[in-house]
Amino acid sequence: MNWCYDARNMLVTREQLERNERQVLAPYAALAAESRGRTHPESESAYRTAFQKDRDRVVHTSAFRRLEYKTQVFVNYEGDYYRTRLTHTLEVAQVATSIARALGLNEDLAETIALAHDLGHPPFGHAGEKALDELAKAVGGFDHNRQSLRIVTKLERRYPGFPGLNLTWETLEGIMKHETEYDVPDPSWEPDVQPTLEAQVVNVADEVAYNAHDLDDGLRSGHLSPQQVAEVPLVGELMERLGLNPERFDTGQRYVLIRELLGDVITDVVQATHQRLLDHGIGTLADVRAAPTKLLAPSDAMGTMLAELKSFLYQNFYFHHRLIRMTRKAHQVLERIYHAYLDTPDMLPPNVAQQVAELGLERAVTDYIAGMTDRYANEEYRRLFDPMSLT
């Protein structure tokens, strides 16, 4: 049979995309057509669903672009091959959409939440966040989840009719209920109601990406040895199954190890979550929200092994003496810049000075520093404190 396409019938409208979601997605998935809407009324796109429109708005923000030069574990100048906050974000989005697709969830919403979940991170990773939280105590401290919400609702000014991006309620919920060991959900967002499975999948994807890719960067940098990681049950068992010898471990074997580790964890999460949904009789999104606990997670056995891997990384990688030195330098850079701005506000650029009247000096300075990349913060430090540097 010869197939031919009729171009007159190939135009895919938003309404068609919404019908496709109803027909293809699981009954407990979040549907774009049933979104709670946006804070500021506006018409939806002709050829994108509401969640697709959210995704595109996130990608076009200045905050998203700046993630390229913000720390994941290694400061940007440590090497071109290590993860940055941007590459981590993209990897979380890939893991999240893979899991969402297998479970019949809304990939567009999962991807959007993943792309937005780290927008609020300051320079120098968790060291930078800790420093800003201490420095900004007088104005409520600093938390990157809340800062992500500030970015998408207030700080990005790209549209004349409203501040922020005017994202859907479901995307904002996913940002504010993002929860991992590093991320504390905002208790003001319906604390007794579970978030969508699309939001839950980003929580898991974030943890999965952290573990696998920090392991990869640790091996690449030489901070971790193959012999060390082989002592971790999850990794050691996988290396044995794949025939990888820690004594003759090369770059190609590292690629295989990380790829298969990701695949094993994703498969476990999909299968364990599917069984959990069956066991709880989940048939609608309302059932998901009313569940007594989060439903999207690895199996108990895999969860235990992932916790062991995380503990290993804490002890042997994150607290490596070189990373501790880097953390201390990051804290000093942000602390001195922060106090310099407070002591002499006239040094602030005009666009930040305009925010002082609206937000107060300390919050405006906190927002400004949080938006800096590692590279810009280091350059600003030199401009402020190096007598030989141009101001």
Side-chain angles (χ1 to χ4, degrees):
M1 178 182 295
N2 293 325
W3 290 94
C4 63
Y5 292 99
D6 183 353
R8 294 170 297 181
N9 298 322
M10 289 304 295
L11 193 62
V12 181
T13 65
R14 172 173 52 82
E15 290 80 7
Q16 181 61 56
L17 292 170
E18 292 171 348
R19 286 194 293 270
N20 291 347
E21 286 187 354
R22 293 185 185 280
Q23 294 169 0
V24 174
L25 298 185
Y28 40 74
L31 301 179
E34 296 180 3
S35 169
R36 296 195 196 182
R38 306 178 187 275
T39 302
H40 306 279
E42 61 173 300
S43 60
E44 292 299 333
S45 299
Y47 304 107
R48 296 177 297 172
T49 68
F51 299 150
Q52 291 171 343
K53 185 175 182 177
D54 281 1
R55 177 197 58 208
D56 297 346
R57 286 185 170 184
V58 168
V59 169
H60 286 282
T61 60
S62 300
F64 185 79
R65 292 193 296 276
R66 286 196 295 265
L67 295 177
E68 180 177 4
Y69 296 103
K70 290 193 176 187
T71 293
Q72 176 64 18
V73 173
F74 293 96
V75 175
N76 181 262
Y77 56 74
E78 290 278 331
D80 292 338
Y81 294 102
Y82 301 121
R83 267 79 182 180
T84 66
R85 189 60 59 178
L86 177 61
T87 59
H88 167 71
T89 294
L90 296 176
E91 288 165 347
V92 172
Q94 180 270 312
V95 173
T97 53
S98 294
I99 297 172
R101 186 181 305 118
L103 291 169
L105 303 178
N106 195 313
E107 294 176 47
D108 294 325
L109 178 57
E111 182 182 23
T112 301
I113 296 170
L115 293 173
H117 85 282
D118 268 355
L119 290 178
H121 261 289
F124 308 124
H126 294 291
E129 177 156 9
K130 182 178 180 182
L132 274 186
D133 187 39
E134 293 174 0
L135 292 166
K137 283 296 183 188
V139 289
F142 180 86
D143 172 80
H144 77 264
N145 267 10
R146 292 198 299 270
Q147 190 70 8
S148 294
L149 187 71
R150 285 175 59 75
I151 287 170
V152 300
T153 59
K154 298 180 185 297
L155 300 182
E156 285 281 340
R157 301 293 177 97
R158 310 184 69 84
Y159 305 95
F162 45 79
L165 307 181
N166 200 28
L167 303 178
T168 60
W169 190 93
E170 290 76 13
T171 295
L172 297 179
E173 178 196 38
I175 294 172
M176 290 314 299
K177 288 192 174 183
H178 184 56
E179 182 176 7
T180 69
E181 185 170 339
Y182 300 110
D183 304 282
V184 180
D186 189 324
S188 66
W189 279 71
E190 298 186 347
D192 298 325
V193 177
Q194 298 295 343
T196 63
L197 288 172
E198 289 80 2
Q200 294 182 39
V201 81
V202 176
N203 295 341
V204 173
D206 196 12
E207 295 273 16
V208 170
Y210 260 118
N211 285 332
H213 298 140
D214 289 354
L215 177 64
D216 188 20
D217 280 352
L219 287 167
R220 179 194 292 273
S221 67
H223 288 62
L224 300 175
S225 71
Q227 294 82 3
Q228 278 181 295
V229 303
E231 297 299 318
V232 181
L234 176 62
V235 181
E237 292 173 12
L238 180 58
M239 292 177 74
E240 184 175 353
R241 173 157 60 86
L242 296 173
L244 304 179
N245 188 336
E247 304 300 327
R248 296 190 298 275
F249 197 79
D250 58 23
T251 299
Q253 290 181 329
R254 190 183 82 246
Y255 291 154
V256 171
L257 174 65
I258 301 304
R259 182 179 69 238
E260 295 301 317
L261 176 62
L262 274 171
D264 283 359
V265 177
I266 289 172
T267 297
D268 177 88
V269 170
V270 168
Q271 293 176 347
T273 299
H274 180 250
Q275 188 60 52
R276 208 172 286 117
L277 294 171
L278 293 175
D279 293 344
H280 283 79
I282 302 299
T284 66
L285 177 55
D287 293 338
V288 172
R289 293 195 175 281
T293 187
K294 289 185 173 59
L295 300 165
L296 206 149
S299 64
D300 291 343
M302 179 61 77
T304 297
M305 290 190 288
L306 287 171
E308 292 169 342
L309 174 57
K310 181 183 293 185
S311 176
F312 168 83
L313 290 171
Y314 264 113
Q315 296 171 23
N316 297 280
F317 184 37
Y318 303 138
F319 290 105
H320 191 282
H321 72 276
R322 284 182 57 199
L323 295 182
I324 292 174
R325 291 177 185 177
M326 187 176 69
T327 296
R328 178 64 191 135
K329 286 193 291 185
H331 196 288
Q332 177 178 311
V333 167
L334 297 190
E335 183 177 36
R336 292 198 68 188
I337 291 175
Y338 192 91
H339 287 304
Y341 289 150
L342 292 191
D343 292 342
T344 315
D346 290 343
M347 293 193 300
L348 291 168
N351 63 313
V352 180
Q354 291 175 1
Q355 298 295 315
V356 172
E358 177 185 347
L359 304 172
L361 178 59
E362 290 187 68
R363 178 51 62 188
V365 167
T366 301
D367 285 343
Y368 180 42
I369 293 178
M372 292 179 179
T373 62
D374 298 3
R375 181 172 60 183
Y376 186 89
N378 282 323
E379 290 174 352
E380 184 72 343
Y381 182 88
R382 284 192 292 271
R383 284 192 291 266
L384 292 174
F385 303 111
D386 182 355
M388 304 302 294
S389 179
L390 294 177
T391 58

